[in-house]
Structures are given as structure tokens and as C-alpha cells.
Amino acid sequence: MLVRSALGVLSLAGLSQLVGGELSDTPSVANFVRRATLRATVLGNYVYFDGGEISQLENDKFNQGRASNQVNSTLSIDISKSWTNTDVAFNAIPKKLPTPTKTNQVLWTDAQNGAFYIFGGKWAHGENMAETALWKFTTDGQGGGEWSLQSPGNPSLFNGLVPSEQSVYVTVNDTGFAIGGIAHGWTQIRRLEGQAVAGMLGFNMTTKVWNNGTLGFSPIHTLSGGSAHHVPSFGPNGLVVLLGGESHPVDKLPVQGTGTYHDLRNLTFFDPQTKTTYWQLATGDIPPHPRTGFCVTGFRDPEGGYEMFLFGGDNQRDKISYQDAYVLSLPSFVWTRLPEPPAGPRAYHDCVSVGKRQVLSIGGTNRGWEDKDQAPQGLLLFDMTMMEWKDAYDAEADDYVRADLIKSRHNDGLEKMEWSSPEVQKLFQVSESTEGTPQPTSEPPASSAPVGAIVGGVVGGAAAITLVAVVVWWVLRRRRAKNEDAHDGDGAMETAEVGGESKYLAEVAATHGHTELSTGYDGKTAQEEDVQELESGYQTAELPSEQKAKGERAVFEMDANPAK
């Protein structure tokens, strides 16, 4: 079978030969070097991954004039059967123009209908650029599928959107969200200026209606390179947790490594329905930052909790990639560092939960494309229960249960927990069902007491409240008199110093602006929200006039760095 360009048939599963000078999207283990900046999801018995770039050898060298090239097919791996990273079989689904081949795109999963969508991202090397569009991949249940163009339900709003790369995205039921990102000359055709994108997009996969909120809709102003993860176990609508990344002002050209980084101790999360934003301090083995380009996935605990797995990432400020992995246990908010991952540092990979308790990490680079990945085909697996890195996927593995170390640290963290607010504490209250599936606690049912009993209770309650108020007033009055006698005549009351974690909590809350909870959503419809993704109160950062006169695009690249 021939390997052709995106206009024709691409590789079959496991094809390693190079024919007619074209490179394979599924090279052999020997020829494979690196794969990165892709996006992955699980539908049915298959892991699908799309986009990104790949580097490989041809006759023991790079023969394409550059180390990396765009991946011209959508790939899938069967997870109904066990395999190793040296014998795994890839299914390759051809892409035909104008289906885009992008990097760092948004991927939303429609699990109910066996499909996923891609939006935004960067055209690799600025090639084959086309008008902004939303693309849908519909699976066939056998590791294949087909691409189609998805029309928006509200085209006037969609046509005003600003596509970007490195947005922080998440799927919640039938709605996809994308926060922030970086827009430049390779993310949107005919775009001349570079810009940090503000606000959050919403796309309903049932109605096909878009919502663009630059004001009062997003939990954060600008954000790129981080991760968002939906935790369904807590709150009335589940919660979306934001991790890492960096923020840039929208009135300056964004340069990677120069923004405001978000640490992994002071965590922000929001209700995907009401958009109410909350925060909580985590404890334990806090992952170092700055950190972008890492991957996150999660597992429900049968006792009602949830574990979030974080792996790798890039530190643009210090020019290093991370070789570490962590678990964040909820509701204790305790980080636990996992055994050191094999195969070296990596960033700009993706990971998904496969089987019942395993993590599959796909791709990644160590700040370059030419050093061969020590993981065959760029695939690494981690067993969450055994807490072990592996090179084989086990389709028969048992259900996930917390490892003893994770469970011990989680329970200890709950005992020492200092909640940021009563509202946050209430969100994370869970009860165990008979099946062991976590169920959020609900409000008590309405009383069926007769009207007379209710009225009597109200009157009695009011009298009790009045009595308590009188007693409290009398105690405070006596205490104030004693304090005034005990101190000098300046009238200053001596206050106890807030120490330890409580003091840090108060300080970091003020620093991060988490001084109160706010819904951040005014209930406007999609038509009433701003059509522009950039906030009207900011000036667009543009290239110097001499560059614009030449028609040059603003493109943000870093030497041998897949984040470019």
C-alpha cells in the first residue's frame, strides 16, 4: 500500500516503509523519533488522536528539510485487547483537504454520539491554511470514521470568533469550553497581529450553538498552555478544575515564558452551569511551576473521591522540561508525587484514561524533535492502583482502587483540611451509595409539617434568637470593659496573630483576588454576549508598521520547541 499526501490514501496500521519520498504517520519503532502537540480522546474501545507533528528517520537521517512534519491522518488504537508499545497496531484514517492538519488545537468529545470536534490550533508550518471552521470526526465503532464540516447554529457569532492555539479546553456532558489561547498569523488566515485571547468559548454539541463570553462568562481573563479537567463527582453540576498555564495581557504581544504563571497550590475551579468560580489551597507534594504543556486525566474512586493525574510539562522561563508525575486526590486536595517516569522529560504530549485504571501517555518532546524518544512509539502507561510505570496495556486489569499510599495521604489531608469557605466545603461533601459510586450530597427534602406547627416553630425560634442575642451582647460588653481596663489609654484591642497555614491562606487569597465568590455570569444569551473574542476595552497588539506593510504574519516560534 502506498503512502501518499493528505490528498490521497495514507498509511495503514503499522506501515513502516517509506514510499515515493513521503513519510509515514505510523513509522516503525526503529524509524520513529518524536510525536507531539496532538490531542487525544477515548470513544468506545478505541483511543483516537489527531493533529500534531511527528519526526522520523529515513535512511537513518532527516530527509525533509526539517526535523518535524505535520501528521496527515487521524490515528486510533484498540484498547479492547492488550498490547505493548513495541507491537501496538495503529489505525490510520486519511485526511483530505480542506480537513486541517493542526497542532495545539481544541478537542471536544461527544461521547453519546461517538464523535469529537476540533477547533482552533495552529497550521503546522503555516501550510494549507483555510478559513476558520469547526470540524467533526464521527467514529464507526471499529477504529475508523470520517471527517465532516460542522455548521454553527449561530453563524453571525461564530464568524466573529478569534481562533487560537494552546487554549485550555474541557468537555462537560454535551458542551465544550475553551479558555483563552494565543492568536497569531498561523492560527487565523490573513491575521497580521499577535494577541493573547481573553474569555471563554462555549459550544453545545446538541444544539450546535456557540456562546462567546469575554465579560462575565470566564473564570479567568487570559490563559494558555494549562489544562482543564471536569470532575463529575462533586457539586450539583460537577466542577471544572484549572491547572497551571500562564496569562498574558491582551494589549501586548504575548511571548512564551514572560507571562504570569499559575501555580499548582492555589487552585481555581468553577461550576460549568452557573460559572460560579471558587478556589482552594492544595497541600502535599506541590508540583513545581512554571508549568505548561503537561497532560491531565482522572479516575473516580469507588469510595466517593476522585484522583487527577498530572504528568510532565515545560518550563519556558528556565528552558527545561519536567520528568515528574503527580496525583491530586479530592476532596482532600493533597498532591502525591509518583515514581519517576521512565524515558526522560517530556512536554506537549496528551494522556487519557484507558481500561479501568491505566493512564496512556502519547508523545511528547524534550525541547526538540531530533532526540529519539526513549519510549517506543512515544507511548507510556501508568497503573494507578499498582503505582507503576509500564510498557504494556492490560485490557483485563481490575477496577481502580486507591493505592495504600494515596489513601493514607488523602485521609490524613481530610483530617487537617482548612477549607477556603463554607461554600467550597459543601461542594465536596459526598455520600457513598450501595454501589460505591460517588454521589454528591443534596439539600434535605421539603418539610411536610402542618401550617400550625410551622408557625409555632417560627415564633419559638424567634424568641430563642432574641434571648441568645441579649446574652451575647452582655458577654461582649463585659469583655470590652475588661480589655479597656487592661490596656493603655489608646483604646487599641490586642489581636491574636494568625499563624501557619491560616495566615498563608489569607495572604494568598488577597494576592490572587480570591477574596470572595462571584458567579461571573450575568445570564446573557449567546446573542447578547460580545461577538468578539477580545475584550473591547483593550487595544489590539499589532506588529510594527513595516512588517504589516509587507503582509507578514505574527508567528510565535521557538527554536526546536514544539510549543511554537
Side-chain angles (χ1 to χ4, degrees), residues 6-64:
L7 291 172
V9 179
L10 296 176
S11 60
L12 290 178
L15 181 65
S16 61
Q17 290 80 12
L18 303 174
V19 182
E22 295 292 340
L23 296 177
S24 170
D25 289 328
T26 58
S28 67
V29 172
N31 287 338
F32 175 84
V33 178
R34 289 281 180 179
R35 186 190 302 275
T37 64
L38 62 127
R39 298 293 186 249
T41 188
V42 176
L43 287 167
N45 289 326
Y46 292 88
V47 175
Y48 290 87
F49 46 107
D50 182 74
E53 296 185 61
I54 187 171
S55 62
Q56 57 187 294
L57 298 176
E58 180 183 9
N59 299 323
D60 298 323
K61 60 182 179 180
F62 299 101
N63 276 345
Q64 297 297 304

Short mmCIF file of all heavy atoms in Angstrom, two decimals, residues 6-64:
data_model
loop_
_atom_site.label_atom_id
_atom_site.label_comp_id
_atom_site.label_asym_id
_atom_site.label_seq_id
_atom_site.Cartn_x
_atom_site.Cartn_y
_atom_site.Cartn_z
N ALA A 6 -1.85 14.19 2.02
CA ALA A 6 -3.19 14.30 2.60
C ALA A 6 -4.27 14.23 1.54
O ALA A 6 -5.44 14.06 1.86
CB ALA A 6 -3.31 15.62 3.38
N LEU A 7 -3.93 14.36 0.26
CA LEU A 7 -4.93 14.28 -0.78
C LEU A 7 -5.28 12.84 -1.13
O LEU A 7 -6.28 12.59 -1.79
CB LEU A 7 -4.42 14.99 -2.05
CG LEU A 7 -4.29 16.50 -1.93
CD1 LEU A 7 -3.60 17.05 -3.16
CD2 LEU A 7 -5.66 17.14 -1.77
N GLY A 8 -4.48 11.91 -0.70
CA GLY A 8 -4.74 10.53 -1.08
C GLY A 8 -4.71 9.61 0.10
O GLY A 8 -4.90 10.00 1.25
N VAL A 9 -4.51 8.34 -0.17
CA VAL A 9 -4.51 7.34 0.88
C VAL A 9 -3.24 7.46 1.70
O VAL A 9 -2.15 7.58 1.16
CB VAL A 9 -4.62 5.93 0.27
CG1 VAL A 9 -4.59 4.87 1.36
CG2 VAL A 9 -5.89 5.82 -0.55
N LEU A 10 -3.41 7.39 3.02
CA LEU A 10 -2.26 7.45 3.91
C LEU A 10 -1.86 6.05 4.33
O LEU A 10 -2.21 5.07 3.70
CB LEU A 10 -2.60 8.32 5.13
CG LEU A 10 -2.90 9.78 4.79
CD1 LEU A 10 -3.33 10.50 6.04
CD2 LEU A 10 -1.69 10.46 4.19
N SER A 11 -1.16 5.95 5.43
CA SER A 11 -0.63 4.65 5.85
C SER A 11 -1.70 3.77 6.44
O SER A 11 -2.69 4.22 6.97
CB SER A 11 0.46 4.88 6.89
OG SER A 11 -0.08 5.54 8.00
N LEU A 12 -1.46 2.47 6.39
CA LEU A 12 -2.26 1.51 7.13
C LEU A 12 -1.61 1.28 8.48
O LEU A 12 -0.51 1.73 8.75
CB LEU A 12 -2.36 0.19 6.36
CG LEU A 12 -3.20 0.20 5.08
CD1 LEU A 12 -3.14 -1.17 4.44
CD2 LEU A 12 -4.64 0.56 5.39
N ALA A 13 -2.33 0.56 9.35
CA ALA A 13 -1.80 0.29 10.69
C ALA A 13 -0.47 -0.43 10.59
O ALA A 13 -0.32 -1.42 9.90
CB ALA A 13 -2.79 -0.56 11.48
N GLY A 14 0.50 0.15 11.32
CA GLY A 14 1.81 -0.49 11.42
C GLY A 14 2.69 -0.35 10.21
O GLY A 14 3.79 -0.90 10.17
N LEU A 15 2.27 0.42 9.18
CA LEU A 15 3.09 0.56 7.97
C LEU A 15 4.35 1.34 8.30
O LEU A 15 4.31 2.41 8.88
CB LEU A 15 2.30 1.29 6.89
CG LEU A 15 3.01 1.49 5.56
CD1 LEU A 15 3.28 0.16 4.90
CD2 LEU A 15 2.18 2.37 4.64
N SER A 16 5.50 0.80 7.96
CA SER A 16 6.75 1.46 8.30
C SER A 16 7.57 1.81 7.07
O SER A 16 8.54 2.55 7.18
CB SER A 16 7.58 0.55 9.22
OG SER A 16 7.87 -0.68 8.56
N GLN A 17 7.21 1.30 5.92
CA GLN A 17 8.00 1.59 4.74
C GLN A 17 7.78 3.03 4.27
O GLN A 17 6.72 3.60 4.49
CB GLN A 17 7.65 0.63 3.59
CG GLN A 17 8.09 -0.80 3.83
CD GLN A 17 7.16 -1.54 4.74
OE1 GLN A 17 6.07 -1.08 5.02
NE2 GLN A 17 7.60 -2.70 5.21
N LEU A 18 8.78 3.61 3.66
CA LEU A 18 8.68 4.94 3.09
C LEU A 18 8.67 4.79 1.58
O LEU A 18 9.59 4.25 0.98
CB LEU A 18 9.89 5.78 3.52
CG LEU A 18 10.06 5.90 5.04
CD1 LEU A 18 11.35 6.63 5.36
CD2 LEU A 18 8.88 6.59 5.67
N VAL A 19 7.59 5.25 0.93
CA VAL A 19 7.40 5.04 -0.48
C VAL A 19 7.32 6.38 -1.19
O VAL A 19 6.61 7.28 -0.76
CB VAL A 19 6.11 4.22 -0.74
CG1 VAL A 19 5.95 3.96 -2.24
CG2 VAL A 19 6.16 2.92 0.02
N GLY A 20 8.02 6.51 -2.28
CA GLY A 20 7.92 7.70 -3.10
C GLY A 20 8.33 8.97 -2.39
O GLY A 20 7.89 10.05 -2.74
N GLY A 21 9.18 8.89 -1.37
CA GLY A 21 9.67 10.09 -0.71
C GLY A 21 8.74 10.64 0.36
O GLY A 21 9.09 11.57 1.05
N GLU A 22 7.53 10.09 0.50
CA GLU A 22 6.59 10.56 1.51
C GLU A 22 6.83 9.82 2.81
O GLU A 22 7.16 8.63 2.83
CB GLU A 22 5.15 10.35 1.03
CG GLU A 22 4.79 11.18 -0.21
CD GLU A 22 4.74 12.66 0.09
OE1 GLU A 22 4.62 13.01 1.29
OE2 GLU A 22 4.83 13.46 -0.84
N LEU A 23 6.61 10.52 3.92
CA LEU A 23 6.83 9.93 5.24
C LEU A 23 5.55 9.33 5.77
O LEU A 23 4.44 9.79 5.47
CB LEU A 23 7.36 11.00 6.19
CG LEU A 23 8.74 11.59 5.84
CD1 LEU A 23 9.10 12.69 6.83
CD2 LEU A 23 9.80 10.50 5.85
N SER A 24 5.69 8.33 6.62
CA SER A 24 4.54 7.65 7.21
C SER A 24 4.11 8.35 8.49
O SER A 24 4.94 8.87 9.24
CB SER A 24 4.91 6.20 7.50
OG SER A 24 3.91 5.59 8.28
N ASP A 25 2.80 8.33 8.76
CA ASP A 25 2.29 8.82 10.03
C ASP A 25 2.42 7.76 11.12
O ASP A 25 2.19 8.05 12.30
CB ASP A 25 0.83 9.25 9.90
CG ASP A 25 0.67 10.51 9.08
OD1 ASP A 25 1.59 11.36 9.12
OD2 ASP A 25 -0.35 10.66 8.39
N THR A 26 2.75 6.53 10.74
CA THR A 26 2.94 5.44 11.70
C THR A 26 4.25 4.72 11.39
O THR A 26 4.24 3.57 10.93
CB THR A 26 1.76 4.45 11.64
OG1 THR A 26 1.64 3.94 10.30
CG2 THR A 26 0.46 5.13 12.03
N PRO A 27 5.38 5.37 11.60
CA PRO A 27 6.66 4.74 11.28
C PRO A 27 6.95 3.56 12.19
O PRO A 27 6.31 3.38 13.24
CB PRO A 27 7.66 5.86 11.49
CG PRO A 27 7.02 6.75 12.50
CD PRO A 27 5.55 6.71 12.20
N SER A 28 7.93 2.77 11.82
CA SER A 28 8.35 1.65 12.65
C SER A 28 8.99 2.17 13.94
O SER A 28 9.36 3.35 14.06
CB SER A 28 9.36 0.79 11.89
OG SER A 28 10.56 1.52 11.68
N VAL A 29 9.14 1.27 14.90
CA VAL A 29 9.80 1.63 16.16
C VAL A 29 11.21 2.13 15.88
O VAL A 29 11.68 3.09 16.51
CB VAL A 29 9.82 0.42 17.11
CG1 VAL A 29 10.67 0.72 18.34
CG2 VAL A 29 8.41 0.04 17.53
N ALA A 30 11.89 1.53 14.92
CA ALA A 30 13.26 1.92 14.61
C ALA A 30 13.33 3.32 14.00
O ALA A 30 14.25 4.09 14.29
CB ALA A 30 13.89 0.91 13.65
N ASN A 31 12.36 3.67 13.15
CA ASN A 31 12.39 4.97 12.47
C ASN A 31 11.73 6.08 13.27
O ASN A 31 11.98 7.26 13.01
CB ASN A 31 11.70 4.86 11.11
CG ASN A 31 12.54 4.09 10.10
OD1 ASN A 31 13.76 3.99 10.24
ND2 ASN A 31 11.89 3.54 9.08
N PHE A 32 10.87 5.74 14.21
CA PHE A 32 10.16 6.74 14.99
C PHE A 32 11.13 7.53 15.87
O PHE A 32 12.00 6.95 16.52
CB PHE A 32 9.10 6.08 15.87
CG PHE A 32 8.41 7.03 16.80
CD1 PHE A 32 7.33 7.79 16.37
CD2 PHE A 32 8.84 7.18 18.11
CE1 PHE A 32 6.70 8.68 17.24
CE2 PHE A 32 8.21 8.06 18.98
CZ PHE A 32 7.13 8.82 18.54
N VAL A 33 10.94 8.86 15.91
CA VAL A 33 11.76 9.71 16.77
C VAL A 33 10.90 10.42 17.82
O VAL A 33 11.06 10.21 19.01
CB VAL A 33 12.56 10.73 15.94
CG1 VAL A 33 13.40 11.65 16.86
CG2 VAL A 33 13.48 10.02 14.95
N ARG A 34 9.98 11.27 17.38
CA ARG A 34 9.14 12.01 18.31
C ARG A 34 7.75 12.26 17.71
O ARG A 34 7.58 12.31 16.48
CB ARG A 34 9.75 13.38 18.66
CG ARG A 34 10.98 13.32 19.54
CD ARG A 34 10.63 13.10 21.00
NE ARG A 34 11.81 13.03 21.86
CZ ARG A 34 11.76 12.88 23.17
NH1 ARG A 34 10.60 12.79 23.79
NH2 ARG A 34 12.87 12.79 23.89
N ARG A 35 6.76 12.42 18.59
CA ARG A 35 5.41 12.83 18.22
C ARG A 35 4.94 13.79 19.31
O ARG A 35 5.10 13.49 20.51
CB ARG A 35 4.48 11.62 18.13
CG ARG A 35 3.09 11.92 17.62
CD ARG A 35 2.17 10.71 17.78
NE ARG A 35 2.65 9.52 17.11
CZ ARG A 35 2.44 9.25 15.83
NH1 ARG A 35 1.74 10.10 15.09
NH2 ARG A 35 2.90 8.12 15.30
N ALA A 36 4.33 14.93 18.95
CA ALA A 36 3.90 15.88 19.98
C ALA A 36 2.86 16.84 19.44
O ALA A 36 2.55 16.84 18.24
CB ALA A 36 5.11 16.67 20.52
N THR A 37 2.33 17.66 20.33
CA THR A 37 1.32 18.71 20.08
C THR A 37 0.04 18.16 19.49
O THR A 37 -0.68 18.85 18.78
CB THR A 37 1.88 19.85 19.20
OG1 THR A 37 2.20 19.34 17.90
CG2 THR A 37 3.11 20.49 19.83
N LEU A 38 -0.29 16.89 19.79
CA LEU A 38 -1.52 16.25 19.34
C LEU A 38 -2.59 16.36 20.41
O LEU A 38 -2.34 16.86 21.51
CB LEU A 38 -1.24 14.78 19.07
CG LEU A 38 -0.77 13.98 20.30
CD1 LEU A 38 -1.61 12.73 20.52
CD2 LEU A 38 0.70 13.63 20.19
N ARG A 39 -3.80 15.89 20.09
CA ARG A 39 -4.89 15.82 21.04
C ARG A 39 -5.51 14.43 20.98
O ARG A 39 -5.64 13.85 19.90
CB ARG A 39 -5.96 16.87 20.72
CG ARG A 39 -5.45 18.32 20.81
CD ARG A 39 -5.10 18.69 22.24
NE ARG A 39 -4.73 20.08 22.40
CZ ARG A 39 -3.52 20.52 22.68
NH1 ARG A 39 -2.52 19.66 22.81
NH2 ARG A 39 -3.28 21.80 22.84
N ALA A 40 -5.92 13.88 22.15
CA ALA A 40 -6.41 12.51 22.22
C ALA A 40 -7.71 12.43 22.98
O ALA A 40 -8.02 13.28 23.84
CB ALA A 40 -5.36 11.61 22.88
N THR A 41 -8.50 11.38 22.68
CA THR A 41 -9.74 11.12 23.40
C THR A 41 -10.05 9.64 23.29
O THR A 41 -9.45 8.91 22.48
CB THR A 41 -10.91 11.96 22.83
OG1 THR A 41 -12.06 11.81 23.67
CG2 THR A 41 -11.26 11.51 21.41
N VAL A 42 -10.98 9.17 24.13
CA VAL A 42 -11.40 7.76 24.11
C VAL A 42 -12.88 7.70 23.74
O VAL A 42 -13.71 8.38 24.35
CB VAL A 42 -11.18 7.09 25.47
CG1 VAL A 42 -11.72 5.66 25.47
CG2 VAL A 42 -9.70 7.10 25.84
N LEU A 43 -13.19 6.89 22.72
CA LEU A 43 -14.56 6.65 22.30
C LEU A 43 -14.74 5.16 22.08
O LEU A 43 -14.07 4.57 21.22
CB LEU A 43 -14.90 7.43 21.03
CG LEU A 43 -15.07 8.94 21.20
CD1 LEU A 43 -15.09 9.64 19.85
CD2 LEU A 43 -16.36 9.25 21.97
N GLY A 44 -15.61 4.55 22.88
CA GLY A 44 -15.81 3.11 22.76
C GLY A 44 -14.55 2.36 23.13
O GLY A 44 -13.92 2.61 24.15
N ASN A 45 -14.15 1.44 22.27
CA ASN A 45 -12.98 0.61 22.52
C ASN A 45 -11.71 1.16 21.87
O ASN A 45 -10.74 0.40 21.70
CB ASN A 45 -13.23 -0.81 21.99
CG ASN A 45 -14.24 -1.56 22.83
OD1 ASN A 45 -14.32 -1.38 24.05
ND2 ASN A 45 -15.05 -2.40 22.18
N TYR A 46 -11.69 2.44 21.54
CA TYR A 46 -10.54 2.98 20.83
C TYR A 46 -10.10 4.32 21.41
O TYR A 46 -10.92 5.14 21.84
CB TYR A 46 -10.86 3.17 19.34
CG TYR A 46 -11.06 1.86 18.61
CD1 TYR A 46 -12.31 1.25 18.55
CD2 TYR A 46 -9.98 1.21 18.00
CE1 TYR A 46 -12.50 0.04 17.90
CE2 TYR A 46 -10.16 0.01 17.34
CZ TYR A 46 -11.41 -0.58 17.30
OH TYR A 46 -11.57 -1.78 16.66
N VAL A 47 -8.79 4.50 21.42
CA VAL A 47 -8.19 5.80 21.67
C VAL A 47 -7.96 6.45 20.31
O VAL A 47 -7.33 5.85 19.43
CB VAL A 47 -6.86 5.69 22.42
CG1 VAL A 47 -6.19 7.06 22.56
CG2 VAL A 47 -7.06 5.06 23.79
N TYR A 48 -8.47 7.65 20.14
CA TYR A 48 -8.24 8.41 18.91
C TYR A 48 -7.31 9.57 19.22
O TYR A 48 -7.46 10.24 20.25
CB TYR A 48 -9.56 8.95 18.35
CG TYR A 48 -10.47 7.90 17.78
CD1 TYR A 48 -11.37 7.22 18.60
CD2 TYR A 48 -10.45 7.59 16.42
CE1 TYR A 48 -12.22 6.25 18.08
CE2 TYR A 48 -11.30 6.61 15.89
CZ TYR A 48 -12.17 5.95 16.73
OH TYR A 48 -13.00 4.99 16.21
N PHE A 49 -6.35 9.84 18.35
CA PHE A 49 -5.56 11.05 18.50
C PHE A 49 -5.35 11.70 17.14
O PHE A 49 -5.20 11.03 16.12
CB PHE A 49 -4.25 10.83 19.25
CG PHE A 49 -3.44 9.63 18.85
CD1 PHE A 49 -2.27 9.78 18.14
CD2 PHE A 49 -3.81 8.36 19.24
CE1 PHE A 49 -1.49 8.69 17.81
CE2 PHE A 49 -3.04 7.26 18.93
CZ PHE A 49 -1.87 7.41 18.20
N ASP A 50 -5.39 13.03 17.19
CA ASP A 50 -5.42 13.81 15.96
C ASP A 50 -4.49 15.01 16.07
O ASP A 50 -4.27 15.55 17.16
CB ASP A 50 -6.84 14.29 15.67
CG ASP A 50 -6.93 15.07 14.36
OD1 ASP A 50 -6.86 14.43 13.30
OD2 ASP A 50 -7.04 16.31 14.41
N GLY A 51 -3.97 15.43 14.92
CA GLY A 51 -3.15 16.63 14.86
C GLY A 51 -1.73 16.40 15.34
O GLY A 51 -1.28 15.27 15.54
N GLY A 52 -1.02 17.48 15.53
CA GLY A 52 0.35 17.41 16.00
C GLY A 52 1.36 17.22 14.88
O GLY A 52 1.02 17.24 13.68
N GLU A 53 2.60 17.03 15.29
CA GLU A 53 3.70 16.79 14.35
C GLU A 53 4.45 15.52 14.75
O GLU A 53 4.34 15.04 15.87
CB GLU A 53 4.67 17.98 14.35
CG GLU A 53 4.05 19.28 13.85
CD GLU A 53 5.06 20.40 13.75
OE1 GLU A 53 6.04 20.26 12.98
OE2 GLU A 53 4.90 21.41 14.46
N ILE A 54 5.22 15.01 13.80
CA ILE A 54 5.99 13.80 14.01
C ILE A 54 7.37 13.97 13.40
O ILE A 54 7.51 14.64 12.37
CB ILE A 54 5.27 12.58 13.39
CG1 ILE A 54 5.99 11.27 13.76
CG2 ILE A 54 5.12 12.72 11.89
CD1 ILE A 54 5.22 10.03 13.36
N SER A 55 8.37 13.42 14.05
CA SER A 55 9.72 13.39 13.47
C SER A 55 10.14 11.92 13.35
O SER A 55 9.84 11.11 14.22
CB SER A 55 10.72 14.18 14.32
OG SER A 55 10.85 13.62 15.61
N GLN A 56 10.82 11.61 12.26
CA GLN A 56 11.22 10.23 11.99
C GLN A 56 12.43 10.21 11.07
O GLN A 56 12.77 11.22 10.44
CB GLN A 56 10.07 9.47 11.34
CG GLN A 56 9.58 10.09 10.05
CD GLN A 56 8.33 9.41 9.53
OE1 GLN A 56 8.36 8.25 9.13
NE2 GLN A 56 7.21 10.12 9.56
N LEU A 57 13.04 9.08 11.02
CA LEU A 57 14.25 8.91 10.21
C LEU A 57 13.90 8.23 8.89
O LEU A 57 13.02 7.38 8.82
CB LEU A 57 15.28 8.09 10.96
CG LEU A 57 15.81 8.67 12.26
CD1 LEU A 57 16.76 7.68 12.93
CD2 LEU A 57 16.49 10.01 12.04
N GLU A 58 14.61 8.62 7.86
CA GLU A 58 14.56 7.95 6.56
C GLU A 58 15.99 7.67 6.16
O GLU A 58 16.78 8.61 5.98
CB GLU A 58 13.87 8.84 5.52
CG GLU A 58 13.78 8.19 4.15
CD GLU A 58 13.16 9.13 3.13
OE1 GLU A 58 12.97 10.32 3.44
OE2 GLU A 58 12.88 8.67 2.02
N ASN A 59 16.33 6.40 6.08
CA ASN A 59 17.72 6.02 5.82
C ASN A 59 18.65 6.62 6.87
O ASN A 59 19.71 7.17 6.55
CB ASN A 59 18.15 6.44 4.42
CG ASN A 59 17.31 5.78 3.34
OD1 ASN A 59 16.94 4.61 3.47
ND2 ASN A 59 17.00 6.53 2.29
N ASP A 60 18.19 6.54 8.12
CA ASP A 60 18.97 6.97 9.28
C ASP A 60 19.22 8.47 9.35
O ASP A 60 20.15 8.92 10.03
CB ASP A 60 20.31 6.23 9.34
CG ASP A 60 20.14 4.73 9.50
OD1 ASP A 60 19.20 4.34 10.22
OD2 ASP A 60 20.93 3.98 8.91
N LYS A 61 18.41 9.29 8.66
CA LYS A 61 18.57 10.73 8.76
C LYS A 61 17.24 11.41 8.45
O LYS A 61 16.31 10.79 7.94
CB LYS A 61 19.66 11.23 7.81
CG LYS A 61 19.39 10.93 6.34
CD LYS A 61 20.56 11.41 5.47
CE LYS A 61 20.31 11.09 4.00
NZ LYS A 61 21.44 11.57 3.15
N PHE A 62 17.18 12.73 8.79
CA PHE A 62 16.00 13.52 8.47
C PHE A 62 16.14 14.03 7.04
O PHE A 62 17.08 14.75 6.73
CB PHE A 62 15.87 14.70 9.44
CG PHE A 62 15.72 14.28 10.88
CD1 PHE A 62 16.79 14.33 11.75
CD2 PHE A 62 14.50 13.84 11.36
CE1 PHE A 62 16.66 13.95 13.07
CE2 PHE A 62 14.36 13.44 12.69
CZ PHE A 62 15.44 13.50 13.54
N ASN A 63 15.17 13.67 6.18
CA ASN A 63 15.32 13.97 4.76
C ASN A 63 14.30 14.96 4.21
O ASN A 63 14.19 15.12 3.01
CB ASN A 63 15.21 12.68 3.93
CG ASN A 63 16.53 11.93 3.86
OD1 ASN A 63 17.57 12.50 4.18
ND2 ASN A 63 16.49 10.67 3.46
N GLN A 64 13.57 15.63 5.08
CA GLN A 64 12.51 16.51 4.59
C GLN A 64 12.86 18.00 4.71
O GLN A 64 12.00 18.85 4.56
CB GLN A 64 11.22 16.23 5.36
CG GLN A 64 10.69 14.82 5.14
CD GLN A 64 10.32 14.57 3.69
OE1 GLN A 64 9.51 15.29 3.12
NE2 GLN A 64 10.90 13.55 3.08
#
